[in-house]
Amino acid sequence: MTTTPPAPPKNRTLTQPATVRKAKSPLATYGPPILVALGIIAVWYFVSYVVLDAQRRFLLPPPHELFTQAFFKGDVISDIMVALGRTAIVALVGLAIAIVIGVLWAIAMSQARWVERSLFPYAVILQCIPILALVPLIGFWFGFDYPARIIVCVLISLFPMVSNTLFGLQSVDKGQRELFQLQKASRWTVLTKLEMPAALPAIFAGMRISAGLSVIGAIVGDYFFRRGEPGLGSLISNYQSRVQSAELFAAIIVACLFGVLIFALFGWIGKRVVGRWYDFSAN
């Protein structure tokens, strides 16, 4: 005689346990970079006071001298902040132009293979050209003020926008693309309803990379084009020629912090725009 197992109660539903992602504690998030920063400061002090003798300590002044001789001196920090504002204008304008050109360039290449084969090699060539060799020519052609600096900024920050946008447009799921083809959707519909939304994570990743490069381009252009209103590049050049090491390091640190701020800003915008269906924390 065989027995059958009792049936489960009718009012009980079988559900799969939901996977819950544990939120990271602030210590786990900010602890490692703070420890690395403390290690860098410790090595900095070691090099300043142990490796270098007193006569050569000006080459790498200890970290506290950056505050006593630069950040806490009204005239120095005022000059740095004014120069930062001018550099920020060039970097943001150049980044905006690079985003527009890069997205349009990638869209054009995504629409036909022959367009991609014709244009993408020149994007690679543009990335490989040493920008320092082009800077004098850009100055001769466009002058030495804001337009030339913006052009240098665009040239440096353009390629990540082109490559990332093209990668995002071409990475659309094959099944979704075939579904649009079955519905006989036009190219414009496929681009606006399928390809562009799917490419947004890659586009914002390109923006984050180009944002940091745009700051570098603005400083490089200002470093060589020393006419007009000086930015951080001109200020760094002046501090270098006068061997003002503390002021020089302070200007470099401010430029780095500005680049990190722009990078984080576009990461935050990316999370707000596409974070609902794409996990940026995985990158």
Side-chain angles (χ1 to χ4, degrees), residues 121-267:
Y122 294 98
V124 177
I125 292 173
L126 187 65
Q127 175 70 9
C128 297
I129 292 177
I131 193 63
L132 296 182
L134 285 181
V135 166
L137 297 177
I138 294 172
F140 296 151
W141 295 336
F142 302 99
F144 298 88
D145 212 337
Y146 277 107
R149 301 175 192 177
I150 292 174
I151 291 173
V152 173
C153 185
V154 172
L155 292 178
I156 290 181
S157 59
L158 180 59
F159 182 76
M161 285 306 308
V162 176
S163 59
N164 280 50
T165 304
L166 182 62
F167 171 78
L169 293 172
Q170 293 178 342
S171 299
V172 177
D173 183 71
K174 184 178 180 181
Q176 295 179 353
R177 193 181 293 275
E178 291 176 350
L179 179 62
F180 272 71
Q181 291 176 353
L182 289 175
Q183 298 296 326
K184 297 184 184 273
S186 63
R187 280 193 176 185
W188 177 253
T189 302
V190 173
L191 176 64
T192 57
K193 302 297 184 181
L194 176 63
E195 293 178 343
M196 285 300 293
L200 281 179
I203 292 175
F204 276 101
M207 287 182 184
R208 295 172 72 184
I209 300 172
S210 295
L213 293 177
S214 67
V215 178
I216 297 175
I219 294 175
V220 168
D222 187 63
Y223 187 91
F224 286 93
F225 304 144
R226 300 181 186 178
R227 300 182 187 177
E229 297 180 337
L232 278 178
S234 297
L235 207 60
I236 289 173
S237 177
N238 293 336
Y239 290 149
Q240 178 185 359
S241 61
R242 299 170 188 169
V243 199
Q244 294 176 286
S245 299
E247 293 84 350
L248 174 61
F249 277 100
I252 293 174
I253 290 174
V254 168
C256 293
L257 292 177
F258 176 67
V260 171
L261 177 63
I262 297 298
F263 181 87
L265 175 64
F266 277 93

Side-chain angles (χ1 to χ4, degrees), residues 4-108:
T4 58
K10 294 182 179 180
N11 59 350
R12 180 180 299 177
T13 58
L14 299 178
T15 58
Q16 294 291 338
T19 58
V20 179
R21 175 178 294 179
K22 295 182 179 180
K24 293 183 179 179
S25 64
L27 181 61
T29 303
Y30 302 106
I34 291 176
L35 290 177
V36 173
L38 293 176
I40 293 174
I41 293 174
V43 173
W44 191 338
Y45 271 112
F46 177 80
V47 174
S48 296
Y49 284 106
V50 178
V51 177
L52 299 176
D53 52 28
Q55 289 76 19
R56 300 176 59 199
R57 194 165 296 155
F58 70 93
L59 297 174
L60 187 65
H64 66 269
E65 290 189 5
L66 272 64
F67 294 91
T68 58
Q69 299 182 18
F71 289 121
F72 290 163
K73 290 184 68 175
D75 54 344
V76 175
I77 193 61
S78 176
D79 292 341
I80 292 177
M81 290 297 105
V82 172
L84 175 63
R86 295 165 181 164
T87 300
I89 293 174
V90 175
L92 294 177
V93 172
L95 177 61
I97 296 174
I99 290 174
V100 174
I101 295 177
V103 171
L104 294 178
W105 192 341
I107 289 174

